[in-house]
Amino acid sequence: MVDNNEKILEELQKKSGNNVCADCGSEDPDWASYNLGIFICMRCASIHRGMGAHISKVKHLNLDRWEDSQVQRMKEVGNIVAKNKYEERVPPCYRKPNKYDPQVLIEQWIRAKYEREEFCHPERQSYLSGSMEGFLMKRGKEDSRYQLRKFVLNENEDSLKYHVRENREPKGVLKLSELNVCFAPAKIGHMNSMQLTFMKDGSTRHIYVYHEEPEVINNWYTAIRCAQLHLLQVAFPSMPQSELVLRLPKDFAREGWLWKTGPRPSDAHRRRWFTLDNRKLMYHDEPLDAYPKGEIFVGHESNGYHIRVSNTGNGCKEARFPFQLVTPDRIFCLAATTHDDRSGWLAVLQQTIKRPLTPQDSTIEATLVRKRTTSNSINIFSGR
């Protein structure tokens, strides 16, 4: 009978919907939650197991023994039926994770579905109101210490504020509609961490925060997205919601170390941390810098933006794989340490250059042009 059950499970797993993980979409899941009746991958199975057997009972499709009643449950439910139940009322601002996303996002998605049942009971979704208050650990601008700060989200004021002292004026006021937020566990070194990126006085500013509770940081992330969607709906009332969702915060297209040199042959190579945020390519001395050293707008190919690739060395032992980002104003000479790393950067930059410009892109470009013009004027005036 065991062999027969294995055969039945194998056939069930091949059916549409069951052939990908019910939670992250990974192909060919080989685990299952037999009380929930879903097929899941190994990574998600470990999260299910962590919720406890009173929520989810996990087995391997081939390595564990299956009872007839458990197989019958898998027949009756399956991923599609479970999705219709547990994801019935997912708000459009909620980010559904995929297999490449950070652990905190996937774990909180799974716990929200099955443990808290937030999408069966919308009243449990605490992040939809457009306001939120609470404390997060924030990295200092001038040093690496994290201090407890109170954050206040207010959709009506289009703001996210943080306070050094709770009853004092805010230390910082971030414009919510221009804020990008992304999880940053690898860079910050904490599983439950985020990076906030925004414009301040014409320059990009980064803030790094974390919280010990994964649910709390995920709620902050989602609350920001939901408030931003509400603001977009007011600003663009005739635009379909599906298009507005595409304007919500996105992860950086790519980050990592590259070597950069100036336009003159005599300029030395400098190792910089590069971040591609939409069409803004920023470079920093260190990954957790509060401000970038420089910002490059990556425009459309019709305006003269393109990539040049060289397979010859450039005099720097570590910068073995050079390439150039050509803009109308300047050629930026860059290099990666490995061939694969260069290929990754070339792919995302080419995609960016070929993507049509949006009105928001033009606003970013105008801001960076003003900043560059001001900087050049200061340098001329000071004789530098």
Side-chain angles (χ1 to χ4, degrees):
M1 184 61 70
V2 173
D3 290 339
N4 186 47
N5 281 341
E6 286 185 6
K7 185 176 180 180
I8 294 172
L9 288 169
E10 183 179 345
E11 292 302 315
L12 287 173
Q13 192 264 357
K14 292 178 181 178
K15 288 187 175 182
S16 178
N18 294 341
N19 59 348
V20 295
C21 175
D23 296 322
C24 75
S26 294
E27 299 82 4
D28 301 319
D30 51 5
W31 290 78
S33 171
Y34 63 85
N35 65 312
L36 297 175
I38 57 174
F39 294 84
I40 54 180
C41 69
M42 182 172 66
R43 180 186 186 186
C44 292
S46 67
I47 298 172
H48 277 257
R49 198 183 298 277
M51 290 191 295
H54 63 294
I55 302 293
S56 183
K57 297 178 172 64
V58 176
K59 278 190 174 185
H60 193 276
L61 295 181
N62 306 120
L63 302 180
D64 290 320
R65 180 183 178 88
W66 284 77
E67 303 296 334
D68 292 348
S69 59
Q70 297 166 355
V71 175
Q72 183 61 32
R73 176 65 174 167
M74 299 299 297
K75 282 183 182 180
E76 293 170 353
V77 186
N79 288 5
I80 294 177
V81 171
K83 179 185 178 71
N84 292 335
K85 174 183 178 181
Y86 292 104
E87 299 181 27
E88 180 184 7
R89 303 184 70 174
V90 179
C93 57
Y94 199 102
R95 177 178 167 182
K96 297 182 180 181
N98 61 49
K99 61 182 180 181
Y100 302 108
D101 281 328
Q103 183 75 4
V104 62
L105 186 63
I106 295 178
E107 179 179 346
Q108 290 309 305
W109 166 245
I110 290 171
R111 289 184 178 273
K113 283 205 292 183
Y114 310 114
E115 185 177 59
R116 300 190 292 269
E117 294 190 345
E118 291 177 11
F119 313 127
C120 300
H121 305 279
E123 68 275 8
R124 299 177 184 175
Q125 299 172 15
S126 61
Y127 34 74
L128 296 179
S129 65
S131 63
M132 182 172 282
E133 293 188 15
F135 291 87
L136 299 172
M137 299 297 293
K138 174 188 171 292
R139 192 177 197 268
K141 181 172 66 173
E142 305 296 340
D143 58 48
S144 60
R145 292 179 298 174
Y146 284 83
Q147 303 286 346
L148 193 65
R149 298 290 182 253
K150 182 178 181 179
F151 281 76
V152 180
L153 173 70
N154 191 319
E155 174 190 316
N156 293 329
E157 296 180 0
D158 189 13
S159 68
L160 175 65
K161 303 174 183 178
Y162 65 92
H163 302 254
V164 174
R165 289 183 173 82
E166 189 171 356
N167 297 320
R168 301 285 183 87
E169 289 297 309
K171 176 70 173 179
V173 180
L174 289 57
K175 191 171 183 180
L176 187 60
S177 56
E178 297 178 358
L179 177 67
N180 190 30
V181 55
C182 64
F183 291 106
K187 183 158 63 173
I188 296 176
H190 195 288
M191 292 294 291
N192 312 321
S193 57
M194 297 190 305
Q195 176 174 338
L196 308 173
T197 298
F198 58 99
M199 296 299 294
K200 181 180 180 181
D201 301 328
S203 298
T204 299
R205 169 82 159 93
H206 307 301
I207 288 178
Y208 308 95
V209 298
Y210 73 84
H211 196 280
E212 292 299 337
E213 294 296 327
E215 182 181 354
V216 172
I217 204 71
N218 190 71
N219 284 347
W220 272 103
Y221 177 83
T222 307
I224 291 170
R225 286 173 58 90
C226 291
Q228 288 181 330
L229 180 58
H230 297 159
L231 292 172
L232 287 169
Q233 289 170 331
V234 172
F236 305 98
S238 61
M239 186 174 291
Q241 181 173 268
S242 58
E243 293 186 23
L244 295 177
V245 169
L246 297 177
R247 298 190 178 194
L248 293 179
K250 297 178 176 64
D251 291 343
F252 299 135
R254 191 173 182 87
E255 284 193 287
W257 292 106
L258 288 174
W259 292 86
K260 175 183 176 295
T261 184
R264 297 182 298 272
S266 59
D267 290 337
H269 289 82
R270 304 290 185 187
R271 189 170 180 251
R272 303 295 187 216
W273 179 266
F274 276 77
T275 300
L276 180 58
D277 180 9
N278 191 12
R279 288 188 176 276
K280 188 161 52 177
L281 182 63
M282 301 170 281
Y283 53 95
H284 315 73
D285 281 333
E286 298 293 336
L288 296 178
D289 283 350
Y291 295 94
K293 287 187 68 69
E295 302 172 75
I296 307 165
F297 181 78
V298 184
H300 191 258
E301 58 186 353
S302 62
N303 296 325
Y305 291 86
H306 62 278
I307 301 292
R308 293 178 187 164
V309 180
S310 172
N311 291 318
T312 59
N314 55 7
C316 179
K317 182 179 179 181
E318 293 85 356
R320 296 177 54 204
F321 298 90
F323 63 96
Q324 295 177 338
L325 172 59
V326 181
T327 76
D329 299 325
R330 178 179 164 183
I331 298 175
F332 293 89
C333 301
L334 310 172
T337 304
T338 68
H339 181 273
D340 288 345
D341 192 26
R342 180 176 68 174
S343 297
W345 279 104
L346 293 178
V348 296
L349 288 171
Q350 293 283 16
Q351 291 170 4
T352 304
I353 288 170
K354 291 182 178 297
R355 191 173 70 238
L357 291 168
T358 67
Q360 290 74 26
D361 294 335
S362 301
T363 301
I364 295 172
E365 181 179 21
T367 301
L368 293 182
V369 168
R370 285 196 301 270
K371 177 184 175 183
R372 185 166 63 247
T373 302
T374 302
S375 176
N376 290 341
S377 299
I378 292 173
N379 289 341
I380 292 172
F381 182 78
S382 63
R384 286 182 289 175

